[in-house]
Amino acid sequence: MLRLSVPIRQALSRLTLPVMLMLSLGTVLVGRADQNLADHLRAGLDDVLAPAYALVTAPVVALEHGSGLVGHLFDLDAQNQALAAENAKLLQWQTVAMALEAQNDALKTALHYQPSPVPEFFSADVVADLGGVYARSVLVTLPPALARDPARLVGAVAMDGRGVAGRVVEAGDRSARVLLITDLNSRIPVSLGVHGQPALMAGANGGDPALLYWAPGQPPAEGDMVLTSAMGGAFPAGLPVGVVHYDSQNDPVVLPLADIDGLRLLRLFIYPSAEPVLEPIRPVVKPAGKPHKGH
Amino acid sequence: MARRPAGLRRNMTFWRRLDMASRHAWPAAFLLFGMLVIGLPLGLPGLAAMRPAYVMGSVFFWSLYRPASLPAPVVAGAGLLLDLLGMTPLGLWAVLLLVLQGGTLAARRRLIPQSFLLTWAVFAGFSAVISLATWGLQSALELRMLPLLPTCAQIAVAGGIYPALAALFIRAHRGPAAAELA
């Protein structure tokens, strides 16, 4: 142990706070100058935390049977009745869906429909609900198959069983962070209703996402289906997102299909990039009259 | 440390050293552990505002009653962890938590003899100032106005959980975190 005289030790202990304050201010400046630094640190931290969270989250999930809320344990009877009623309704819908599927197949055959390529997808466990008052994100663990090249996962679309839940914004070797559609920074081009009117779905920091930039003459109708739009190339077209709802007049919001507050398992779809690839234009070499030797 | 005559001081056995170290580290360890536990996906509402509120309450309480157990580097580290977990600009919470600690240390002598209600009111004021500063600085760093409502919720949560936190910490202060009892 270093032996210092009492006044020096006192002076040192007085200096700790200002020195740490200066260092922290420096960190703010460095983080502002280099945005990637925070992302790298965050991905590293997430990789360390994800296995621990996975270990602790597993018993919680086992306890609540994957329902997403511990509170559900207290009203099992009511929940059972609601589920039985919902199941009866869903069985009716199942027959409708089967009839529509058969009809759809017949129409596709008649049109010589070319199916769009199936994207790669992985399922990932949600192990932690990380975020602040201005950020909505969840931490997911990744299957080991992805560990070789986590970078291609950035931008992957995350869906739960029913609809789009968010996008991957950071990916490390073992974990990835999914920015939810309710986050303030989330902007998703969507198409509304059967006619596919374009609009932008903007996260409202917790509440239901708002709809912006719809055509002024044609406000979105209550109950319209909201699907992703391929506009801008960030999302593939036609993924289910939610349903239009009016909380107040002229203020449409989207009720997400995904259970945003109780996410347990997400499917991460890696779509091939739809953004245009810029390639240099090669000068066209005209075939010469006689062959000449290559160099 | 200078050697003293035997008898004035108990022997520093390994176990006693360990006991002292663990008591000394209790506040910091509990702070970090709590920050991570709040991230568990329990689906409870208001968890996002809970983490900063919990950290502010911890830093305030331990800076007030046991400042040696929560030195500035630990506070800065907790701030950085909060920034990384919560996706705020890197270093923002580190700066603000250190400011909170500095303010608490400055008010320490006058605050310690006061009643719990007054301490609570002072914490509510401090946390409101720090939360508003987070909102202002984050808006400035991201170059846009962030909504004020979540910050207000955070202020309310911070004021609301302080009595519960304090009840827990006071017991720890007299028991597992009391370094002088080792």
Side-chain angles (χ1 to χ4, degrees), chain A residues 186-278:
Chain A
S186 165
R187 295 280 185 281
I188 296 175
V190 292
S191 59
L192 306 172
V194 281
H195 300 299
Q197 293 162 7
L200 193 71
M201 184 175 77
N205 195 45
D208 295 319
L211 276 177
L212 307 175
Y213 306 129
W214 31 274
Q218 302 160 307
E222 170 89 31
D224 266 357
M225 190 73 187
V226 179
L227 303 172
T228 56
S229 149
M231 214 171 272
F235 276 85
L239 300 176
V241 180
V243 175
V244 176
H245 174 67
Y246 277 86
D247 278 339
S248 57
Q249 212 175 359
N250 292 329
D251 209 5
V253 297
V254 178
L255 302 179
L257 291 174
D259 181 14
I260 297 290
D261 291 325
L263 296 173
R264 280 290 172 261
L265 194 63
L266 286 175
R267 293 173 295 164
L268 308 180
F269 291 91
I270 303 176
Y271 284 90
S273 171
E275 285 159 20
V277 180
L278 298 178

Side-chain angles (χ1 to χ4, degrees), chain A residues 55-68 73 264:
Chain A
L55 208 63
V56 183
T57 305
V60 174
V61 175
L63 195 71
E64 55 167 30
H65 310 292
S67 64
L73 283 177
R264 280 290 172 261

Side-chain angles (χ1 to χ4, degrees), chain A residues 131-143:
Chain A
V133 287
Y134 295 114
R136 292 284 180 275
S137 70
V138 291
L139 184 67
V140 298
T141 52
L142 294 181

Side-chain angles (χ1 to χ4, degrees), chain B residues 24-109:
Chain B
H24 213 72
W26 196 93
F30 199 80
L31 170 60
L32 299 184
F33 179 72
M35 286 172 75
L36 298 180
V37 165
I38 292 175
L40 283 179
L42 297 179
L44 302 174
L47 272 187
M50 188 72 98
R51 195 183 291 113
Y54 167 79
V55 174
M56 285 192 290
S58 303
V59 168
F60 177 79
F61 184 93
W62 293 116
S63 302
L64 196 56
Y65 296 111
R66 209 173 268 285
S69 285
L70 206 62
V74 174
V75 174
L80 280 184
L81 185 63
L82 193 57
D83 286 328
L84 290 179
L85 290 177
M87 304 185 94
T88 38
L90 192 68
L92 177 66
W93 269 109
V95 170
L96 289 170
L97 286 180
L98 287 169
V99 169
L100 173 66
Q101 191 181 34
T104 315
L105 289 178
R108 196 165 170 252
R109 277 165 202 274

